[in-house]
């Protein structure tokens, strides 16, 4: 790579200038280099490469901070391993922070001090984004979302045609012409969002959720203008692009006067809109935001839907998406749903907030340059699934579905991978 | 007061001012604003962050590394004890009695833990690559401070060396990772807020 320009370095360091964030300041100064976080990270566990430990990822970001913003780092850089932000450091940052971290946050929970390692990685990614060093593959996904309104660049006509087709399928399946997939309707209770991989490759997952809404008698709509729940700029670290994407969904919800935005099964999208968007927008949201997992659990609790326990005969395990569980507190609901109708449900070990990342998070699935490494670390998840003996893996995240499907193929596990809505729709009792 | 006592007191002043500066800076910045609607409670999560979440039952860094975790705990307790000895020694309250000898024994144990941690850092390649000179210097200063605290209890005439080491340690505090004495508490606090706000902590049964 060419030498960094002064402007690039300056933009990278902007992240630390006039630091007003006590949380960032804290975590930049907290690591004691004990190295005890190594075994909590799938990258280290699968490779035993000590360059890929969480501590090294924290250190490369905080070493740059120390160099320019601490007295010791300015006067005695080698004493505290303070590094210049030059091309060597920047390239290493790209490899470690984009190429060797899914921002799963597992290490944070187990750090001996309590360093929010994922937050430091995000800060490092923001630096690289300011410097124009986001991997091209990830950036092209962000650009597609910014320019077309969805990360797969699906034209509106194609989307509308897919929805109409799914509506016909749904009507056929439930034998009821009232089973609609409403588009762009105002004043509904729910505005439902999608991961663009659904209309593009897996439209049946749209009709699965539509079937659940129909069975529950929900008043809902999709938007043809803004349905994309993903926000890959959250992964690239670009705050302006994250804001732009989040603002579109915010404005569409306002325009359609929906009471609740229901987030499709997408871990990072849920996190980006539920937890981060209010901070991008600098305001509290005037509407409710719920994940589809909470909504489905609510329907069961309130007796709005009923599930047939005889329907799914195979053993089922659950993969907890990191962003939904560790970063979103959705931990019990998916279990409540599955235990309601799955006879043979087996937990992975570890699970819940300790679950291992599938390896596809943090934008990894979008960054093909790291495919080999991504599939190498997937061995941890493959072993975890194998140990359960389950034939079906359910996960409330489309991104995880993609990675788990690849895991099943690469490691010859012969699994069925389903979203929660898909397995619930299968067992749904329609009166 | 002797010159070496004055030296250590002045150095301690530098250390306290530095720690206070870091602490006040964090307090003045305050808790970061979060516009997202909380789904959990922050206070119980902060309490959990400082208690249950630190236990070996919950933390891999502890239960996968029990010898290191135990050594680290003893080492930190030893540091607090050595600081207490500093004030007692300054006030002339140290005596060659059973309780102080017990304290000296504990400090020697903690010194041993410090040496063990130092050796581990030196011999484990992954840890060595992660380490900066500051990691070694911080360890050496704290470990020697503990040793000298143990010795000064048993041999009062070694007080000049003890005060000198205490002073050096205090003077070094602002430069390196010893500052985690302040940031550790801030990190646990922020972690508690983060996980409490999102209803991740305190953990609930699955
Ligand atoms: S466990 Fe925490 S403090 Fe220790 S090296 Fe890892 S990030 Fe740093
Ligand atoms: S966030 Fe996950 S992938 Fe990244 S360093 Fe931590 S454990 Fe590893």
């Amino acid at each position: 790579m060419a030498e960094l320009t002064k402007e690039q370095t300056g933009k990278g360091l902007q992240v630390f200038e006039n630091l007003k964030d006590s949380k960032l300041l804290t975590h930049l100064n907290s690591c004691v280099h004990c190295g005890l976080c190594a075994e909590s990270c799938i990258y280290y566990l699968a490779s035993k490469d000590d360059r890929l430990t969480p501590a090294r990822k924290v250190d490369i970001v905080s070493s740059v901070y120390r160099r320019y913003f601490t007295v010791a780092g300015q006067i005695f850089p080698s004493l505290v391993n303070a590094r210049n932000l030059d091309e060597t450091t920047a390239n290493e940052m790209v490899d470690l922070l984009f190429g060797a971290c899914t921002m799963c946050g597992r290490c944070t929970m187990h750090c001996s001090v309590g360093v929010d390692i994922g937050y430091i990685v995000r800060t490092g990614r923001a630096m690289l984004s300011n410097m124009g060093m986001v991997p091209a593959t990830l950036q092209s996904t962000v650009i597609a979302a910014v320019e077309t309104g969805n990360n797969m660049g699906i034209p509106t006509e194609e989307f509308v045609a897919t929805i109409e087709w799914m509506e016909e399928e749904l009507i056929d399946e439930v034998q009821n012409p009232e089973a609609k997939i409403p588009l762009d309707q105002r004043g509904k209770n729910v505005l439902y969002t999608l991961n663009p991989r659904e209309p593009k490759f897996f439209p049946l997952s749209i009709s699965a959720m539509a079937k659940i809404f129909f069975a529950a008698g929900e008043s809902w709509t999709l938007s043809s203008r803004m349905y994309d729940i993903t926000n890959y700029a959250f992964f690239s670290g670009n705050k302006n692009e994250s804001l732009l994407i989040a603002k579109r969904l915010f404005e569409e919800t306002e325009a359609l006067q929906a009471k609740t935005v229901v987030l499709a099964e997408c871990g990072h999208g849920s996190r980006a809109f539920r937890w981060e968007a209010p901070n991008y927008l600098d305001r509290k949201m005037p509407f409710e935001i719920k994940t589809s997992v909470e909504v489905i659990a609510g329907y069961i609790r309130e007796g709005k839907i009923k599930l047939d326990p005889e329907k799914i005969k195979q053993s089922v395990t659950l993969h907890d998406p990191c962003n939904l569980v560790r970063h979103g507190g959705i931990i019990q609901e998916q279990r409540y749903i599955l235990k309601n109708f799955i006879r043979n449900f087996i937990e992975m070990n570890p699970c819940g907030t300790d679950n291992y990342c599938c390896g596809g998070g943090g934008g990894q699935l979008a960054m093909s340059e790291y495919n080999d490494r991504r599939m190498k670390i997937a061995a941890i998840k493959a072993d975890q699934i194998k140990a359960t003996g389950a034939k079906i893996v359910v996960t409330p995240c489309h991104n995880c579905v993609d990675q788990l499907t690849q895991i099943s193929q690469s490691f010859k596990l012969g699994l069925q991978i389903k979203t929660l809505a898909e397995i619930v729709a299968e067992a749904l009792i329609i009166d | 007061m002797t010159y070496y006592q004055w030296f250590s007191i002045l150095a301690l002043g530098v250390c306290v001012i530095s720690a206070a500066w870091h602490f006040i800076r964090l307090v003045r910045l305050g808790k970061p604003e979060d516009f997202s609607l909380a789904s959990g409670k922050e206070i119980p999560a902060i309490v959990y962050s400082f208690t249950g979440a630190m236990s070996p039952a919950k933390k891999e860094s502890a239960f996968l590394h029990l010898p290191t975790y135990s050594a680290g705990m003893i080492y930190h307790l030893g540091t607090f004890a050595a600081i207490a000895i500093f004030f007692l020694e300054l006030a002339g309250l140290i005596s060659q009695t059973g309780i102080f000898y017990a304290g000296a024994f504990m400090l020697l144990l903690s010194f041993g833990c410090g040496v063990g941690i130092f050796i581990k850092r030196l011999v484990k390649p992954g840890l060595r690559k992660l380490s900066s000179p500051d990691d070694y210097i911080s360890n050496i200063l704290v470990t020697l401070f503990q040793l000298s605290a143990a010795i000064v209890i048993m041999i009062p005439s070694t007080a000049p060396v003890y005060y000198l080491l205490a002073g050096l340690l205090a003077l070094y505090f602002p430069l390196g990772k010893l500052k985690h004495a302040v940031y550790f508490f801030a990190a646990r606090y922020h972690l508690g807020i983060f996980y409490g706000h999102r209803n991740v902590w305190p953990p609930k049964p699955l």
Side-chain angles (χ1 to χ4, degrees), chain A residues 227-424:
Chain A
Y227 53 84
D228 183 357
I229 183 55
T230 69
N231 191 335
Y232 278 84
F234 169 71
F235 288 144
S236 72
N238 187 310
K239 204 173 169 191
N240 292 335
E241 288 165 344
S242 306
L243 166 65
L244 190 146
I245 293 168
K247 199 168 171 209
R248 280 187 190 150
L249 184 54
F250 170 81
E251 287 173 351
E252 185 62 1
T253 312
E254 293 260 273
L256 290 174
Q257 297 160 355
K259 291 195 189 78
T260 307
V261 176
V262 173
L263 309 167
E265 295 179 71
C266 174
H268 93 269
S270 298
R271 177 179 179 185
F273 198 69
R274 168 74 176 85
W275 299 107
E276 314 295 341
N279 298 315
Y280 299 147
L281 292 157
D282 259 344
R283 59 166 301 169
K284 288 190 194 307
M285 295 297 204
F287 41 77
E288 205 179 3
I289 306 171
K290 279 185 172 175
T291 61
S292 55
V293 182
E294 293 165 285
V295 169
I296 297 171
Y299 290 158
I300 297 174
R301 248 180 230 119
E302 293 157 23
K304 289 186 174 170
I305 60 171
K306 290 207 164 36
L307 306 173
D308 180 359
E310 299 304 324
K311 193 76 187 179
I312 310 289
K313 303 234 185 290
Q314 289 148 301
S315 50
V316 173
T317 189
L318 170 72
H319 167 69
D320 283 302
C322 309
N323 280 310
L324 212 61
V325 174
R326 268 190 287 275
H327 296 116
I330 306 292
I331 305 162
Q332 282 85 17
E333 284 84 343
Q334 54 272 46
R335 294 175 164 77
Y336 171 75
I337 297 168
L338 291 174
K339 286 174 185 170
N340 192 274
F341 71 107
I342 303 289
R343 286 271 161 88
N344 193 359
F345 174 66
I346 310 150
E347 286 279 15
M348 287 192 207
N349 183 24
C351 62
T353 52
D354 275 345
N355 195 28
Y356 290 118
C357 177
C358 62
Q364 292 304 326
L365 276 159
M367 294 186 276
S368 50
E369 51 272 66
Y370 301 113
N371 275 354
D372 288 347
R373 202 186 261 168
R374 172 167 61 82
M375 289 320 291
K376 198 172 169 192
I377 58 164
I380 305 293
K381 182 52 65 181
D383 288 346
Q384 240 196 322
I385 297 171
K386 241 190 280 176
T388 66
K391 296 285 171 259
I392 300 175
V393 182
V394 173
T395 185
C397 173
H398 284 280
N399 203 54
C400 299
V401 167
D402 279 349
Q403 172 75 350
L404 292 169
T405 306
Q406 290 187 38
I407 289 176
S408 178
Q409 284 160 1
S410 300
F411 295 85
K412 301 192 176 28
L413 301 180
L415 300 163
Q416 289 181 58
I417 317 290
K418 292 177 190 289
T419 63
L420 204 54
E422 284 165 358
I423 199 161
V424 166

Side-chain angles (χ1 to χ4, degrees), chain B residues 17-100:
Chain B
I17 289 168
S18 161
W21 181 80
H22 285 281
F23 180 72
I24 291 165
R25 183 169 64 150
L26 290 176
V27 171
R28 284 181 62 173
L29 286 175
K31 183 180 135 186
E33 191 148 26
D34 190 340
F35 291 100
S36 64
L37 187 70
S39 64
K41 294 197 174 83
E42 291 174 3
I43 304 285
I46 294 170
V47 172
Y48 177 75
S49 179
F50 281 99
T51 54
M54 294 293 292
S55 83
K58 292 285 174 201
K59 214 160 61 166
E60 272 181 8
S61 56
F63 71 73
L64 294 178
H65 302 271
L66 272 179
T68 307
Y69 172 77
S70 312
M73 291 300 279
I74 295 171
Y75 190 51
H76 280 84
L77 286 175
T79 308
F80 294 128
I83 292 169
I85 295 293
F86 177 82
F87 290 107
L88 292 171
E89 165 65 32
L90 210 56
L93 296 174
I94 302 272
S95 59
Q96 276 66 55
T97 53
I99 184 147
F100 281 104

Side-chain angles (χ1 to χ4, degrees), chain A residues 37 40-44 52-55 57 100-108 117-118 121 326 357:
Chain A
C37 46
S40 299
C41 176
I42 43 173
Y43 282 91
Y44 176 76
L52 304 185
T53 61
K57 295 162 201 170
C101 180
T102 62
M103 290 160 71
C104 73
R106 192 170 189 279
C107 49
T108 299
I117 297 159
V121 168
R326 268 190 287 275
C357 177

Side-chain angles (χ1 to χ4, degrees), chain A residues 109-159:
Chain A
M109 291 216 138
H110 293 287
C111 163
S112 59
V113 169
V115 180
D116 191 337
I117 297 159
Y119 191 52
I120 297 290
V121 168
R122 257 173 83 189
T123 304
R125 287 189 178 196
M127 288 172 74
L128 294 165
S129 170
N130 283 358
M131 294 160 74
M133 292 182 72
V134 175
T137 44
L138 178 58
Q139 189 55 29
S140 67
T141 310
V142 177
I143 289 171
V146 168
E147 289 179 354
T148 70
N150 69 84
N151 76 36
M152 294 207 164
I154 305 167
T156 308
E157 314 77 63
E158 188 184 319
F159 174 73

Side-chain angles (χ1 to χ4, degrees), chain B residues 53-194:
Chain B
M54 294 293 292
S55 83
K58 292 285 174 201
K59 214 160 61 166
E60 272 181 8
S61 56
F63 71 73
L64 294 178
H65 302 271
L66 272 179
T68 307
Y69 172 77
S70 312
M73 291 300 279
I74 295 171
Y75 190 51
H76 280 84
L77 286 175
T79 308
F80 294 128
I83 292 169
I85 295 293
F86 177 82
F87 290 107
L88 292 171
E89 165 65 32
L90 210 56
L93 296 174
I94 302 272
S95 59
Q96 276 66 55
T97 53
I99 184 147
F100 281 104
Y101 277 117
F105 174 76
M106 205 219 121
L107 282 164
L108 287 175
L109 186 70
S110 135
F111 161 76
C113 292
V115 172
I117 292 168
F118 183 86
I119 293 171
K120 186 181 174 195
R121 189 174 289 285
L122 212 56
V123 300
K124 279 199 84 179
L127 205 48
R128 206 166 54 229
K129 281 180 220 150
L130 176 66
S131 304
S132 62
D134 169 50
D135 292 304
Y136 296 102
I137 294 170
S138 300
N139 178 302
I140 290 171
L141 285 173
V142 174
T143 308
L144 287 180
F145 175 56
Q146 294 180 4
L147 176 67
S148 64
I151 294 176
V152 85
I153 291 172
M154 297 180 288
I155 313 167
S157 61
T158 60
V161 179
Y162 172 65
Y163 281 112
L164 184 71
L165 282 167
L168 286 178
L169 175 62
L171 282 180
Y172 187 73
F173 179 90
L175 293 178
K177 74 168 187 183
L178 296 173
K179 294 195 292 287
H180 77 267
V182 175
Y183 286 102
F184 166 81
F185 295 97
R188 301 299 320 169
Y189 165 77
H190 281 293
L191 218 53
I193 289 182
F194 180 81

